[in-house]
């Protein structure tokens, strides 16, 4: 699908907190051995004064710098997340106010597990594409939590990205088309008032991630009449390293196409932020004319796929803010005790 | 415990964005903002958005914090001289207390300042971290 007016990305920005905990440190605490075939090298951990609001503010600042537009020109601030600071009270109004966006703006928090951000991005393309707004900002940002000792604890990271949508003639990457594919699948969920999520073990792989990612991606390729060889870069949702690499092979993309946007080995699974921050790492590298394919995944379950073509504007715009790799490479390693304190893993009665 | 909601709401522009004021008559910029210029008493004063860069003028490390700040201990509170001139008192973040130095270049970030318990208001505002090289 695509809107009636040609649209694209006019700005983008990333954020990752500075703390990292090695997966071997988590294995040392829970399994007594460090070399336990851990799924990633390290994951990012937010500092005690960070949350989805503060992280979104910095990513959005980077996106505004790259777009070079006045904050008051942004007509929507949509934060996709599953780790809102407040259960009731939008994160997006805090982000908008901190950036000087509004008060004449739309603001909302979006939910769809790890595809909350790309769902917001689809809507942003629609709003700008219909002529209702000149610019709309979609964010995917999370500070994911895994139950101590659970498999998810090795990968549940923190970070994400902000993308500003505008008209194609102002864009650094033009949208060719997008697609969405959803089914009711109980692969992962968290009930109200529960601190940690549940995952349906037998559902996480084949019927969930691969079913949706492969169907959405193949559908978009077919709709555009294109093959993986037409693209320079591909980005998938990255709950670990194994799943996106397997999706890459299954669709006929190559390792070279996926590695630039595959950040989960260093920062973990940033949930709603994962595919979008991977996209920002690609935008930092891609050349004018390059084609970029993105497919997200959110439990519950569904995928959004997007096809972009880079324009000449990318070369200068990318230099206006800090690169995604600068955030990825920022690294203050902490041990499990410090991590436990920052993430409130210890309950004091 | 009073969360002092009206006061936090009134201060949000200054706190979230480091918004102060600028005197159109004598050119002075100041923070926090005032209705009357403290230099020349002019009322011709407009809002001014500070760039957020400055240097550590002086600092001290807090080990026994007031209620609401305990999760950040130990932390450093600094007097930061903004590039535009005014001095601002703020917490430093993303830095270990032993690495703080006088004259260290810093930049503003918006972070959690405190929270009123697990069920109360979260207050956001400016802090400063060591400046990064530009991209
Ligand atoms: Zn004056």
């Amino acid at each position: 699908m695509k809107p009636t007016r040609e649209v694209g990305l006019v700005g983008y920005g990333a954020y990752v907190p500075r703390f990292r905990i090695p997966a071997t440190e988590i294995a040392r605490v829970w399994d007594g051995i460090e070399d336990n075939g851990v799924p990633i090298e390290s994951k990012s951990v937010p500092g005690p004064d960070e949350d989805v609001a503060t992280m979104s503010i910095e990513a959005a600042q980077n996106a505004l710098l790259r777009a070079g537009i006045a904050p008051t020109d942004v007509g929507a601030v949509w934060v996709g997340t599953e780790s809102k600071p407040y259960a009731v009270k939008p994160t997006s109004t805090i982000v908008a106010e901190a950036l000087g966006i509004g008060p004449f703006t739309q603001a909302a928090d979006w939910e769809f597990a790890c595809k909350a951000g790309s769902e917001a991005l689809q809507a942003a393309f629609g709003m700008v594409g219909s002529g209702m707004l000149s610019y709309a900002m979609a964010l995917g940002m999370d500070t994911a939590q895994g139950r101590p000792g659970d498999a998810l604890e090795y990968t549940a990271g923190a970070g994400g990205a902000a993308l500003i949508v505008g008209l194609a003639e102002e864009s650094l990457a033009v949208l060719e088309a997008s697609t969405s594919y959803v089914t009711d699948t109980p692969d992962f969920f968290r009930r109200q008032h529960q601190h940690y999520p549940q995952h349906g073990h037998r559902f996480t792989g084949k019927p969930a991630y691969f079913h949706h990612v492969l169907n959405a991606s193949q559908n978009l390729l077919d709709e555009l009449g294109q093959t993986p060889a037409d693209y320079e870069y591909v980005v998938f949702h990255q709950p670990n390293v194994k799943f996106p690499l397997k999706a890459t092979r299954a669709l006929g993309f190559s390792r070279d196409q996926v590695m630039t946007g595959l950040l989960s080995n260093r920062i973990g699974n940033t949930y709603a932020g994962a595919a979008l921050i991977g996209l920002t790492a690609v935008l930092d590298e891609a050349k004018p004319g390059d084609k970029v394919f993105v497919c997200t995944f959110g439990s519950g379950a569904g995928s959004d796929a997007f096809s972009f073509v880079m324009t000449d504007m990318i070369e200068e715009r990318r230099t206006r803010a800090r690169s995604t790799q600068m955030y990825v490479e920022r690294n203050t390693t902490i041990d499990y005790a410090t991590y436990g304190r920052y993430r409130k893993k210890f309950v004091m009665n | 415990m009073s969360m002092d909601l009206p006061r936090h709401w009134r201060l949000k522009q200054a706190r979230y964005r480091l918004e102060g004021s600028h005197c159109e008559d004598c050119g002075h910029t100041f923070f926090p903002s005032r209705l009357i210029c403290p230099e020349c008493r002019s009322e011709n004063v407009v809002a001014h958005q500070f760039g957020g860069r400055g240097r550590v003028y002086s600092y001290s490390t807090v080990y026994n914090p007031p209620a609401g700040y305990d999760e950040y201990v130990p932390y450093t509170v600094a007097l930061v001289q903004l590039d535009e001139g005014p001095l601002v008192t703020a917490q430093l973040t993303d830095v270990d207390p032993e690495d703080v130095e006088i004259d260290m270049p810093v930049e503003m970030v918006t972070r959690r300042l405190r929270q009123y318990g697990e069920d109360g208001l979260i207050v956001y505002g400016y802090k400063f971290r060591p400046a990064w090289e530009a991209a």
Side-chain angles (χ1 to χ4, degrees):
Chain A
M1 54 191 178
K2 81 184 283 191
T4 45
R5 301 206 297 177
E6 294 277 331
V7 295
L9 305 173
V10 299
Y12 67 94
Y15 185 77
V16 184
R18 75 167 173 138
F19 299 107
R20 301 284 178 278
I21 182 167
T24 50
E25 171 70 1
I26 299 173
R28 181 183 69 81
V29 170
W30 292 107
D31 300 326
I33 46 165
E34 292 184 15
D35 184 17
N36 192 30
V38 291
I40 58 170
E41 197 176 294
S42 62
K43 69 168 187 174
S44 54
V45 179
D49 61 356
E50 297 189 281
D51 61 24
V52 163
T54 67
M55 292 162 56
S56 294
I57 289 166
E58 186 159 340
Q61 273 165 342
N62 288 329
L64 279 170
L65 283 171
R66 288 206 172 92
I69 58 174
T72 45
D73 289 340
V74 177
V77 180
W78 289 332
V79 181
T81 184
E82 59 182 272
S83 36
K84 295 158 42 126
Y86 289 95
V88 178
K89 185 188 181 310
T91 311
S92 49
T93 54
I94 302 168
V95 176
E97 184 90 40
L99 293 164
I101 296 172
F104 292 100
T105 185
Q106 301 196 22
D109 291 6
W110 291 61
E111 285 189 21
F112 193 145
C114 301
K115 91 170 185 87
S118 61
E119 192 76 42
L121 183 61
Q122 291 278 35
F125 285 131
M127 290 292 270
V128 175
S130 72
M132 271 184 81
L133 298 177
S134 302
Y135 302 102
M137 185 187 290
L139 295 104
M141 192 68 68
D142 262 311
T143 57
Q145 286 267 35
R147 188 181 296 279
D150 186 278
L152 291 178
E153 197 191 13
Y154 291 93
T155 52
L163 299 166
I164 302 178
V165 170
L167 285 179
E169 57 260 35
E170 302 170 44
S171 293
L172 51 89
V174 171
L175 177 74
E176 286 196 305
S178 64
T179 199
S180 292
Y181 181 95
V182 307
T183 69
D184 177 10
T185 308
D187 57 323
F188 174 92
F189 47 88
R190 178 167 66 86
R191 292 288 300 273
Q192 193 79 286
H193 310 305
Q194 294 299 304
H195 194 51
Y196 300 115
Q198 299 285 335
H199 47 111
H201 292 271
R202 51 185 297 272
F203 279 108
T204 50
K206 204 168 166 214
Y209 182 90
F210 295 106
H211 177 79
H212 297 84
V213 166
L214 300 187
N215 274 295
S217 298
Q218 195 58 56
N219 176 275
L220 184 58
L221 289 170
D222 293 347
E223 196 180 300
L224 288 165
Q226 287 173 340
T227 67
D230 294 318
Y231 291 85
E232 273 72 23
Y233 298 96
V234 65
V235 183
F236 292 112
H237 175 53
Q238 34 205 279
N240 48 38
V241 175
K242 201 166 76 182
F243 280 22
L245 285 180
K246 208 171 153 187
T248 299
R249 282 194 302 273
L251 285 160
F253 286 97
S254 73
R255 205 181 160 85
D256 285 350
Q257 289 165 296
V258 79
M259 290 314 286
T260 306
L262 187 48
L263 308 177
S264 54
N265 197 40
R266 305 279 301 280
I267 63 172
N269 177 7
T270 56
Y271 286 54
L276 301 189
I277 194 173
L279 170 61
T280 67
V282 165
L283 297 177
D284 279 338
E285 296 289 323
K287 290 187 289 296
D290 282 355
K291 283 170 63 99
V292 180
F293 193 91
V294 183
C295 187
T296 67
F297 171 72
S299 293
S303 287
D304 296 312
F306 304 89
S307 177
F308 295 103
V309 185
M310 304 303 297
T311 75
D312 294 344
M313 286 179 220
I314 185 59
E315 307 266 28
E316 189 269 330
R317 292 237 189 119
R318 74 163 57 111
T319 65
R320 293 181 189 173
R322 283 166 187 143
S323 72
T324 300
Q325 278 301 334
M326 284 181 76
Y327 284 98
V328 171
E329 278 157 26
R330 209 161 70 125
N331 182 349
T332 303
T333 300
I334 54 174
D335 60 13
Y336 199 90
T338 305
Y339 160 75
R341 183 182 161 212
Y342 287 175
R343 301 303 282 138
K344 300 190 169 74
K345 300 278 184 195
F346 310 126
V347 177
M348 287 172 271
N349 288 313
Chain B
M1 178 167 50
S2 162
M3 289 188 264
D4 216 351
L5 295 171
R7 187 173 63 92
H8 291 306
W9 185 78
R10 248 188 350 264
L11 289 171
K12 69 187 187 316
Q13 256 119 7
R15 253 200 207 137
Y16 286 2
R17 299 206 290 269
L18 204 66
E19 191 177 284
S21 21
H22 173 81
C23 173
E24 301 263 84
D25 288 332
C26 76
H28 210 72
T29 54
F30 32 98
F31 186 90
S33 61
R34 301 256 166 76
L35 293 172
I36 295 168
C37 174
E39 291 294 304
C40 73
R41 312 304 299 166
S42 163
E43 290 180 29
N44 195 9
V45 165
V46 295
H48 176 79
Q49 175 69 61
F50 286 97
R53 289 187 168 264
R55 284 174 186 278
V56 172
Y57 185 81
S58 69
Y59 65 92
S60 90
T61 301
V62 176
Y63 296 96
N64 295 299
Y69 296 86
D70 19 323
E71 57 188 303
Y72 314 125
V73 167
Y75 61 85
T76 304
V77 173
L79 199 53
V80 171
Q81 178 141 41
L82 300 176
D83 286 354
E84 295 91 339
L87 286 165
V88 176
T89 305
Q91 195 179 313
L92 301 184
T93 189
D94 282 1
V95 63
D96 298 326
E98 57 270 27
D99 295 333
V100 179
E101 289 173 8
I102 299 285
D103 234 22
M104 183 171 86
V106 291
E107 61 184 26
M108 191 206 98
V109 289
T110 307
R111 295 286 173 90
R112 278 181 184 224
L113 293 183
R114 65 167 298 180
Q115 60 176 347
Y116 287 84
E118 287 295 324
D119 58 353
L121 183 73
I122 304 167
V123 181
Y124 296 94
Y126 56 80
K127 292 188 182 182
F128 287 83
R129 72 175 169 207
W132 272 13
E133 293 307 308

